[in-house]
Amino acid sequence: MKKRLSATSKCRSGGDQEEDFGIDWEVRPGGLLVQRRFVASSSSSSNSDGPMIKIKVSHDSYHHHLTLPAHSTFGDLKRILAHETGLEPNEQRLLFRGKEKDDNEFLHMAGLEDMSKVILMEDPASKERKLEEMKKNQHKAYEAIVKIRAEVDNLSNKVAAMEVDVENSVNVADKQFVALTELLMVQLLNLDSIEADGEARAQRRLEVHRVQGLVDAVDNLKARNSIRLIDRRNSVSVTTKWVAFDSGVGSCGAENTLQSSTKITQDWESFD
């Protein structure tokens, strides 16, 4: 760790006046005590930690351009890279000029300057732990997908049975279509909640496509069932039956002749 110490020395000027000069000291790695160097602060690229330098950090196929004080340590650099790469400082290995650098080593002491290049590598032990964790997560994902696949198989059988009923003109209530669709959507949500990588992700994608196909099949069956019910209602014929009465009224073929109950006679009487 760098430490600052202060000391005061006096010198006599030409006018026999003594002037005090403050001297700052710092302890370098290894316990070496040296005078602290100062850089003019008139430039915007300078601060109390020394001049700012721009460095290039290569990580696999990625490149990060960072600007930081030259008196920073490699540990400081790791903390900055943690935000850029997602790797924790203890998971990083920094190499400069082919040598790995310690966290408490200063950048300027190691020879870093503007546009210097640093190599970032992930710690092998950390990488192995991540692989083991990934395998464990994939195993859990496989188990969850297999369980959902069994549920989807049962729902697929119900869709097939419903299709047979529609083909045979069996009356299927709309609520049956709605209930089956909701069960399929629940399985889609369960699949979406599974975190999978690699082959497990491919298996999850296939199962998602399968469930979506079953949902479309149920919608088509519902539409066909509705059309069949409408056609059945339109095919019903209405007939009118007429009832014939004795008088003929109300009958389609009733005669218009009426028998009169009044008899008219003409009897004349002669008088003398």
Side-chain angles (χ1 to χ4, degrees):
M1 173 183 284
K2 180 173 64 176
K3 297 182 179 179
R4 292 186 57 183
L5 302 177
S6 61
T8 303
S9 62
K10 297 181 179 180
C11 66
R12 190 175 298 275
S13 62
D16 294 335
Q17 295 180 352
E18 292 184 351
E19 295 180 2
D20 293 342
F21 295 90
I23 301 176
D24 286 338
W25 302 87
E26 63 183 15
V27 180
R28 298 290 178 85
L32 180 63
L33 182 64
V34 298
Q35 183 178 350
R36 183 179 177 84
R37 293 179 299 178
F38 291 92
V39 180
S41 58
S42 59
S43 174
S44 61
S45 63
S46 302
N47 57 23
S48 60
D49 291 329
M52 304 292 287
I53 59 174
K54 297 179 180 180
I55 62 175
K56 178 180 179 182
V57 181
S58 298
H59 176 219
D60 294 336
S61 59
Y62 300 95
H63 301 284
H64 305 278
H65 297 271
L66 305 176
T67 302
L68 70 167
H71 289 177
S72 301
T73 64
F74 282 91
D76 298 330
L77 178 58
K78 286 184 177 181
R79 284 187 286 273
I80 296 175
L81 290 171
H83 297 283
E84 299 289 334
T85 64
L87 293 175
E88 295 298 328
N90 59 350
E91 298 174 346
Q92 302 177 28
R93 295 179 60 186
L94 295 178
L95 287 79
F96 179 62
R97 295 177 180 173
K99 295 182 179 180
E100 184 176 359
K101 297 300 179 180
D102 296 331
D103 290 352
N104 58 352
E105 190 171 355
F106 295 96
L107 302 182
H108 69 287
M109 292 295 296
L112 267 76
E113 53 188 14
D114 271 337
M115 303 311 296
S116 292
K117 183 177 180 181
V118 178
I119 305 297
L120 169 61
M121 298 178 60
E122 185 176 359
D123 184 66
S126 173
K127 186 179 295 186
E128 186 176 352
R129 286 194 304 268
K130 289 183 178 180
L131 289 175
E132 291 295 330
E133 185 177 356
M134 185 180 299
K135 290 179 181 179
K136 186 182 298 184
N137 292 337
Q138 282 191 352
H139 182 69
K140 293 181 179 179
Y142 273 121
E143 291 180 348
I145 292 173
V146 169
K147 184 177 179 180
I148 293 176
R149 183 178 292 127
E151 295 291 337
V152 175
D153 288 340
N154 295 332
L155 295 176
S156 179
N157 293 334
K158 292 183 179 180
V159 173
M162 183 176 290
E163 185 176 5
V164 173
D165 291 341
V166 173
E167 292 289 343
N168 295 333
S169 300
V170 177
N171 188 19
V172 182
D174 285 346
K175 62 181 181 180
Q176 293 181 255
F177 295 102
V178 175
L180 189 52
T181 300
E182 290 178 352
L183 292 175
L184 290 169
M185 295 304 296
V186 168
Q187 299 307 319
L188 277 179
L189 293 176
N190 292 337
L191 288 169
D192 186 63
S193 64
I194 297 176
E195 296 183 2
D197 294 312
E199 183 62 24
R201 174 179 291 182
Q203 293 295 325
R204 184 187 65 180
R205 187 184 301 111
L206 290 175
E207 206 61 31
V208 167
H209 291 166
R210 181 188 178 199
V211 175
Q212 290 174 342
L214 291 173
V215 171
D216 293 339
V218 173
D219 291 340
N220 292 334
L221 290 174
K222 182 179 179 181
R224 289 168 55 188
N225 185 68
S226 299
I227 294 174
R228 182 178 55 81
L229 292 177
I230 294 174
D231 292 342
R232 179 180 295 179
R233 293 191 187 100
N234 293 337
S235 63
V236 176
S237 59
V238 180
T239 59
T240 302
K241 184 177 181 180
W242 294 89
V243 179
F245 297 94
D246 292 340
S247 62
V249 178
S251 175
C252 293
E255 296 180 356
N256 292 328
T257 59
L258 296 177
Q259 295 181 358
S260 176
S261 60
T262 304
K263 183 178 180 181
I264 301 175
T265 59
Q266 295 180 354
D267 291 336
W268 298 91
E269 183 180 357
S270 60
F271 296 92
D272 292 339

